[in-house]
Amino acid sequence: MSERTYQVRTYGCQMNVHDSERLSGLLEDAGYVPATADQTPDVVVFNTCAVRENADNRLYGNLGHLRGAKAGHPGMQIAVGGCLAQKDRGEIVRRAPWVDVVFGTHNIGSLPVLLDRARHNRRAEVEILESLEVFPSTLPARRDSAHSGWVSISVGCNNTCTFCIVPSLRGREKDRRPGEVLAEVEALVADGVLEVTLLGQNVNSYGVEFGDRFAFGKLLRACGAIDGLERVRFTSPHPKDFTDDVIAAMAETPNVCHQLHMPLQSGSDRMLAAMRRSYRSQRYLGILDKVRAAMPDAAITTDIIVGFPGETEEDFAATLEVVRAARFASAFTFQYSKRPGTPAASLADQVPKAVVQERFDRLVAVQDEVAWELNRSLVGRTVEVLVSTGEGRKDAATQRMSGRARDGRLVHFVPSPGVRPGDVVSATITYGAPHHLVADGPLVGHRRTRAGDNFEAGIRPKTSGVGLGMPAFGAP
């Protein structure tokens, strides 16, 4: 009997992307192999997101497309996990009875057993736990990248933002012990990974579960002691928990990148109160001032919601004012859409779609103007770029390669012979656009890396689960 093949389809945030790496690791440990592009997989797993209003339409549309493929491929199984599965539960099987397995955010480790059980019992298996069964760090992960890795430091969130459904689907914050985090980082570096991104719904409240409010800054400094780890990033912090010790750790730890993604959501204090964001615009801008005083080269990015219920033209003008003052390198801008199950979804004063669209267009224009000015100021500067794949969508047409500078900016450059994804190059910026930089001259430097060797050989890291341990800093 040939090996059963699998495919994982991911929607949503970085947390979901990393969960999908865990799902792939679990399936490979259970004997499955990745399906090739020309194969119909024996198992298709949807790792879903519930943040967007139309998330369920997208899922059921994709499930509908697979119905015929399943009918023509005996033994094929379809599994649905992630946030939408946690929310909709048995409704998924009712609406799409050809689905074999539904599992939630708290029990991704159950997937192989649920697939076996569904196959044996010839019926759908639905298992949704209300709290975390086991921290994801104890599960294996097949990594997507040879050079960069996600590392979860916490899951869940203790905040109550009125627009967000995450706390009800991911649960309250559960922190991973520092020794586990550092052990996983060291395992990735031992496999050639150069860059890690520490992940959490609110990374800078890390430590709340084991009673150390300075735990996140200590964790950043401990990452600085790991030999071979060249870049440390993190996402996302919450302004209410952002403390001076974290700024100091960023500034004083050489491998921590001078990049900060900190969601603003709105520049209007009235809207921030309605969103239950527990900080105000001046507090937010004050944090940015402190970050730039410690790291003048810091690139700061953000999230902004336009058209939250009750937003007036005056509220929106306050957002534009903060955007101009904050001078973001880039911003993820969203038009408010109702998230079923959130307090904001039932508010009466929803802003008309046409008004939201017009404000959104104005916000994007202002932010693009700011970002373009900042990027033009970098022309002539030489930057270090970690070469990647898939980020330069026009690379084939423009005969360029792409990667990220240390501050997170996307750089398109003219390749030299022998440059591979995972290598590190130095390039001089010749043009700054609102959303990227271009380096069209010859490379200033090229360093071959083990990550580049692994990419060339088709090797992606696979980390085994890191067991639960006692809190510790330093070498695990």
Side-chain angles (χ1 to χ4, degrees):
M1 179 180 170
S2 62
E3 293 174 303
R4 287 176 62 78
T5 60
Y6 77 89
Q7 179 189 77
V8 180
R9 301 185 187 181
T10 311
Y11 306 96
C13 65
Q14 296 100 325
M15 198 70 77
N16 269 21
V17 172
H18 187 33
D19 281 349
S20 289
E21 292 182 331
R22 301 269 181 216
L23 292 168
S24 296
L26 284 160
L27 290 170
E28 290 185 19
D29 275 9
Y32 295 81
V33 296
T36 59
D38 58 349
Q39 282 181 307
T40 299
D42 296 309
V43 172
V44 178
V45 183
F46 290 89
N47 190 10
T48 64
C49 171
V51 165
R52 293 297 176 151
E53 187 176 18
N54 64 354
D56 55 346
N57 293 336
R58 187 177 184 188
L59 171 66
Y60 292 113
N62 286 322
L63 290 175
H65 292 149
L66 268 187
R67 188 176 191 176
K70 183 176 181 180
H73 190 75
M76 182 180 184
Q77 291 182 291
I78 300 171
V80 179
C83 289
L84 196 64
Q86 188 77 23
K87 182 172 78 73
D88 284 2
R89 306 179 178 228
E91 174 73 5
I92 292 172
V93 173
R94 189 188 70 76
R95 289 181 62 177
W98 56 94
V99 168
D100 300 276
V101 169
V102 179
F103 61 101
T105 58
H106 299 308
N107 62 317
I108 63 175
S110 303
L111 176 60
V113 170
L114 293 172
L115 288 168
D116 287 346
R117 199 186 300 164
R119 199 159 51 242
H120 179 268
N121 295 337
R122 298 180 181 276
R123 66 161 191 253
E125 294 289 336
V126 179
E127 183 176 290
I128 307 288
L129 299 188
E130 297 303 329
S131 59
L132 199 63
E133 180 181 50
V134 61
F135 199 95
S137 60
T138 63
L139 305 176
R142 168 61 72 193
R143 306 294 179 150
D144 287 339
S145 167
H147 58 79
S148 299
W150 308 106
V151 177
S152 281
I153 68 169
S154 64
V155 293
C157 184
N158 294 343
N159 295 314
T160 57
C161 303
T162 53
F163 56 80
C164 185
I165 200 168
V166 165
S168 65
L169 301 180
R170 293 273 183 180
R172 290 186 63 78
E173 181 172 328
K174 300 281 289 181
D175 288 334
R176 202 172 163 192
R177 300 296 176 158
E180 293 173 44
V181 175
L182 296 169
E184 185 173 333
V185 173
E186 290 199 331
L188 286 168
V189 172
D191 274 345
V193 166
L194 301 175
E195 173 185 83
V196 298
T197 301
L198 305 177
L199 275 185
Q201 246 81 44
N202 179 9
V203 289
N204 54 334
S205 65
Y206 175 71
V208 66
E209 216 187 4
F210 49 84
D212 184 354
R213 62 185 295 268
F214 298 111
F216 186 58
K218 292 177 185 175
L219 187 63
L220 290 177
R221 291 182 187 275
C223 286
I226 296 175
D227 189 38
L229 178 60
E230 298 190 13
R231 295 183 176 189
V232 179
R233 306 187 192 278
F234 57 87
T235 195
S236 289
H238 190 296
K240 82 176 178 66
D241 297 310
F242 203 81
T243 49
D244 292 351
D245 65 293
V246 172
I247 297 173
M250 291 177 69
E252 295 165 11
T253 310
N255 64 359
V256 176
C257 294
H258 292 180
Q259 174 198 5
L260 176 63
H261 181 78
M262 189 155 64
L264 169 67
Q265 306 304 4
S266 175
S268 160
D269 290 350
R270 198 176 72 86
M271 288 294 95
L272 290 171
M275 293 175 175
R276 289 193 205 142
R277 287 294 286 175
S278 65
Y279 57 87
R280 298 299 175 256
S281 57
Q282 288 309 303
R283 153 84 172 144
Y284 184 95
L285 289 171
I287 294 170
L288 302 199
D289 287 343
K290 288 181 178 180
V291 169
R292 288 187 169 122
M295 296 167 282
D297 61 339
I300 298 171
T301 58
T302 196
D303 298 332
I304 301 171
I305 297 171
V306 179
F308 187 80
E311 182 187 75
T312 64
E313 181 60 30
E314 185 180 14
D315 293 318
F316 178 67
T319 294
L320 293 182
E321 186 178 334
V322 172
V323 167
R324 290 189 180 101
R327 300 190 63 73
F328 296 116
S330 68
F332 295 93
T333 49
F334 304 93
Q335 297 185 39
Y336 173 78
S337 62
K338 291 182 182 180
R339 275 74 160 177
T342 63
S346 59
L347 293 177
D349 45 357
Q350 304 286 325
V351 181
K353 168 67 177 167
V355 174
V356 176
Q357 182 67 54
E358 189 271 338
R359 289 178 186 167
F360 177 83
D361 292 343
R362 273 193 285 156
L363 173 62
V364 169
V366 169
Q367 173 53 39
D368 281 357
E369 180 187 321
V370 171
W372 200 0
E373 182 185 334
L374 290 173
N375 284 353
R376 282 198 300 260
S377 74
L378 298 175
V379 171
R381 184 173 300 181
T382 298
V383 298
E384 178 196 272
V385 180
L386 177 54
V387 185
S388 60
T389 58
E391 298 204 78
R393 285 172 294 179
K394 298 177 183 175
D395 280 357
T398 59
Q399 295 185 310
R400 294 188 181 112
M401 294 181 77
S402 298
R404 295 280 169 180
R406 290 191 66 85
D407 65 6
R409 284 181 166 92
L410 180 62
V411 181
H412 306 302
F413 63 92
V414 177
S416 290
V419 174
R420 310 157 304 174
D423 285 352
V424 177
V425 300
S426 296
T428 302
I429 303 306
T430 56
Y431 176 73
H435 304 291
H436 63 264
L437 302 170
V438 176
D440 269 344
L443 291 178
V444 177
H446 169 214
R447 175 161 54 89
R448 293 172 69 88
T449 68
R450 191 167 151 224
D453 296 342
N454 287 344
F455 177 86
E456 201 166 40
I459 298 169
R460 291 179 297 139
K462 177 153 186 243
T463 48
S464 56
V466 177
L468 297 172
M470 296 302 292
F473 282 100

